[in-house]
mmCIF file of all heavy atoms in Angstrom:
data_model
loop_
_atom_site.group_PDB
_atom_site.id
_atom_site.type_symbol
_atom_site.label_atom_id
_atom_site.label_comp_id
_atom_site.label_asym_id
_atom_site.label_seq_id
_atom_site.Cartn_x
_atom_site.Cartn_y
_atom_site.Cartn_z
ATOM 1 N N ARG A 275 -84.415 -70.021 -66.980
ATOM 2 C CA ARG A 275 -85.027 -71.306 -67.291
ATOM 3 C C ARG A 275 -84.136 -72.159 -68.194
ATOM 4 O O ARG A 275 -83.940 -73.348 -67.950
ATOM 5 C CB ARG A 275 -86.387 -71.078 -67.974
ATOM 6 C CG ARG A 275 -87.208 -72.324 -68.150
ATOM 7 C CD ARG A 275 -88.485 -72.014 -68.912
ATOM 8 N NE ARG A 275 -89.409 -71.202 -68.130
ATOM 9 C CZ ARG A 275 -90.315 -71.723 -67.297
ATOM 10 N NH1 ARG A 275 -90.408 -73.033 -67.157
ATOM 11 N NH2 ARG A 275 -91.121 -70.938 -66.626
ATOM 12 N N SER A 276 -83.570 -71.560 -69.235
ATOM 13 C CA SER A 276 -82.786 -72.368 -70.165
ATOM 14 C C SER A 276 -81.449 -72.778 -69.537
ATOM 15 O O SER A 276 -80.932 -73.851 -69.822
ATOM 16 C CB SER A 276 -82.578 -71.656 -71.506
ATOM 17 O OG SER A 276 -82.105 -70.359 -71.306
ATOM 18 N N GLU A 277 -80.914 -71.924 -68.656
ATOM 19 C CA GLU A 277 -79.668 -72.300 -67.975
ATOM 20 C C GLU A 277 -79.922 -73.485 -67.041
ATOM 21 O O GLU A 277 -79.106 -74.400 -66.950
ATOM 22 C CB GLU A 277 -79.123 -71.097 -67.189
ATOM 23 C CG GLU A 277 -77.830 -71.341 -66.439
ATOM 24 C CD GLU A 277 -76.655 -71.702 -67.348
ATOM 25 O OE1 GLU A 277 -76.738 -71.402 -68.556
ATOM 26 O OE2 GLU A 277 -75.685 -72.295 -66.836
ATOM 27 N N ILE A 278 -81.082 -73.487 -66.376
ATOM 28 C CA ILE A 278 -81.435 -74.599 -65.489
ATOM 29 C C ILE A 278 -81.622 -75.874 -66.305
ATOM 30 O O ILE A 278 -81.144 -76.936 -65.936
ATOM 31 C CB ILE A 278 -82.686 -74.251 -64.658
ATOM 32 C CG1 ILE A 278 -82.274 -73.281 -63.541
ATOM 33 C CG2 ILE A 278 -83.336 -75.489 -64.080
ATOM 34 C CD1 ILE A 278 -83.414 -72.658 -62.795
ATOM 35 N N ALA A 279 -82.309 -75.758 -67.434
ATOM 36 C CA ALA A 279 -82.515 -76.929 -68.301
ATOM 37 C C ALA A 279 -81.171 -77.492 -68.765
ATOM 38 O O ALA A 279 -80.980 -78.701 -68.843
ATOM 39 C CB ALA A 279 -83.379 -76.534 -69.493
ATOM 40 N N ARG A 280 -80.231 -76.575 -69.043
ATOM 41 C CA ARG A 280 -78.918 -77.010 -69.524
ATOM 42 C C ARG A 280 -78.175 -77.801 -68.441
ATOM 43 O O ARG A 280 -77.461 -78.745 -68.730
ATOM 44 C CB ARG A 280 -78.098 -75.776 -69.927
ATOM 45 C CG ARG A 280 -76.971 -76.043 -70.895
ATOM 46 C CD ARG A 280 -76.251 -74.750 -71.275
ATOM 47 N NE ARG A 280 -75.606 -74.104 -70.137
ATOM 48 C CZ ARG A 280 -74.461 -74.516 -69.593
ATOM 49 N NH1 ARG A 280 -73.840 -75.564 -70.073
ATOM 50 N NH2 ARG A 280 -73.946 -73.876 -68.566
ATOM 51 N N ARG A 281 -78.365 -77.399 -67.186
ATOM 52 C CA ARG A 281 -77.626 -78.041 -66.093
ATOM 53 C C ARG A 281 -78.349 -79.243 -65.493
ATOM 54 O O ARG A 281 -77.786 -79.960 -64.676
ATOM 55 C CB ARG A 281 -77.391 -77.033 -64.962
ATOM 56 C CG ARG A 281 -76.530 -75.878 -65.388
ATOM 57 C CD ARG A 281 -76.011 -75.159 -64.182
ATOM 58 N NE ARG A 281 -75.463 -73.855 -64.537
ATOM 59 C CZ ARG A 281 -74.768 -73.098 -63.705
ATOM 60 N NH1 ARG A 281 -74.545 -73.520 -62.474
ATOM 61 N NH2 ARG A 281 -74.303 -71.941 -64.091
ATOM 62 N N ASP A 282 -79.631 -79.409 -65.836
ATOM 63 C CA ASP A 282 -80.436 -80.454 -65.207
ATOM 64 C C ASP A 282 -79.974 -81.838 -65.656
ATOM 65 O O ASP A 282 -80.114 -82.189 -66.820
ATOM 66 C CB ASP A 282 -81.908 -80.239 -65.586
ATOM 67 C CG ASP A 282 -82.828 -81.190 -64.840
ATOM 68 O OD1 ASP A 282 -82.305 -82.078 -64.129
ATOM 69 O OD2 ASP A 282 -84.055 -81.033 -64.967
ATOM 70 N N PRO A 283 -79.445 -82.666 -64.724
ATOM 71 C CA PRO A 283 -78.948 -83.986 -65.120
ATOM 72 C C PRO A 283 -80.074 -84.923 -65.558
ATOM 73 O O PRO A 283 -79.841 -85.887 -66.273
ATOM 74 C CB PRO A 283 -78.268 -84.502 -63.848
ATOM 75 C CG PRO A 283 -78.852 -83.716 -62.728
ATOM 76 C CD PRO A 283 -79.279 -82.393 -63.308
ATOM 77 N N SER A 284 -81.332 -84.643 -65.133
ATOM 78 C CA SER A 284 -82.433 -85.532 -65.521
ATOM 79 C C SER A 284 -82.940 -85.196 -66.927
ATOM 80 O O SER A 284 -83.803 -85.883 -67.465
ATOM 81 C CB SER A 284 -83.579 -85.420 -64.509
ATOM 82 O OG SER A 284 -84.175 -84.134 -64.613
ATOM 83 N N ASN A 285 -82.417 -84.122 -67.487
ATOM 84 C CA ASN A 285 -82.793 -83.757 -68.853
ATOM 85 C C ASN A 285 -81.947 -84.578 -69.819
ATOM 86 O O ASN A 285 -80.744 -84.385 -69.930
ATOM 87 C CB ASN A 285 -82.538 -82.251 -69.041
ATOM 88 C CG ASN A 285 -83.008 -81.771 -70.397
ATOM 89 O OD1 ASN A 285 -83.194 -82.563 -71.316
ATOM 90 N ND2 ASN A 285 -83.168 -80.461 -70.514
ATOM 91 N N ARG A 286 -82.586 -85.528 -70.531
ATOM 92 C CA ARG A 286 -81.799 -86.507 -71.286
ATOM 93 C C ARG A 286 -81.021 -85.865 -72.431
ATOM 94 O O ARG A 286 -80.053 -86.408 -72.929
ATOM 95 C CB ARG A 286 -82.655 -87.656 -71.791
ATOM 96 C CG ARG A 286 -83.786 -87.232 -72.689
ATOM 97 C CD ARG A 286 -84.791 -88.373 -72.833
ATOM 98 N NE ARG A 286 -85.958 -87.915 -73.554
ATOM 99 C CZ ARG A 286 -86.045 -87.916 -74.873
ATOM 100 N NH1 ARG A 286 -85.081 -88.366 -75.614
ATOM 101 N NH2 ARG A 286 -87.136 -87.475 -75.463
ATOM 102 N N HIS A 287 -81.421 -84.683 -72.819
ATOM 103 C CA HIS A 287 -80.660 -84.018 -73.880
ATOM 104 C C HIS A 287 -79.256 -83.646 -73.419
ATOM 105 O O HIS A 287 -78.396 -83.342 -74.201
ATOM 106 C CB HIS A 287 -81.392 -82.761 -74.350
ATOM 107 C CG HIS A 287 -82.703 -83.077 -74.994
ATOM 108 N ND1 HIS A 287 -82.801 -83.763 -76.177
ATOM 109 C CD2 HIS A 287 -83.972 -82.831 -74.577
ATOM 110 C CE1 HIS A 287 -84.093 -83.923 -76.482
ATOM 111 N NE2 HIS A 287 -84.810 -83.370 -75.534
ATOM 112 N N ASN A 288 -79.075 -83.651 -72.084
ATOM 113 C CA ASN A 288 -77.775 -83.276 -71.564
ATOM 114 C C ASN A 288 -76.805 -84.448 -71.477
ATOM 115 O O ASN A 288 -75.638 -84.283 -71.209
ATOM 116 C CB ASN A 288 -77.901 -82.661 -70.171
ATOM 117 C CG ASN A 288 -78.569 -81.291 -70.233
ATOM 118 O OD1 ASN A 288 -78.572 -80.666 -71.283
ATOM 119 N ND2 ASN A 288 -79.115 -80.843 -69.126
ATOM 120 N N ILE A 289 -77.316 -85.676 -71.689
ATOM 121 C CA ILE A 289 -76.444 -86.849 -71.604
ATOM 122 C C ILE A 289 -75.739 -87.037 -72.937
ATOM 123 O O ILE A 289 -76.378 -87.142 -73.983
ATOM 124 C CB ILE A 289 -77.243 -88.111 -71.241
ATOM 125 C CG1 ILE A 289 -77.898 -87.891 -69.876
ATOM 126 C CG2 ILE A 289 -76.375 -89.341 -71.225
ATOM 127 C CD1 ILE A 289 -78.924 -88.930 -69.503
#
Side-chain angles (χ1 to χ4, degrees):
R275 189 184 291 272
S276 50
E277 180 62 20
I278 284 170
R280 202 178 63 77
R281 297 196 194 190
D282 187 354
S284 68
N285 185 341
R286 59 195 173 86
H287 295 294
N288 290 339
I289 299 169

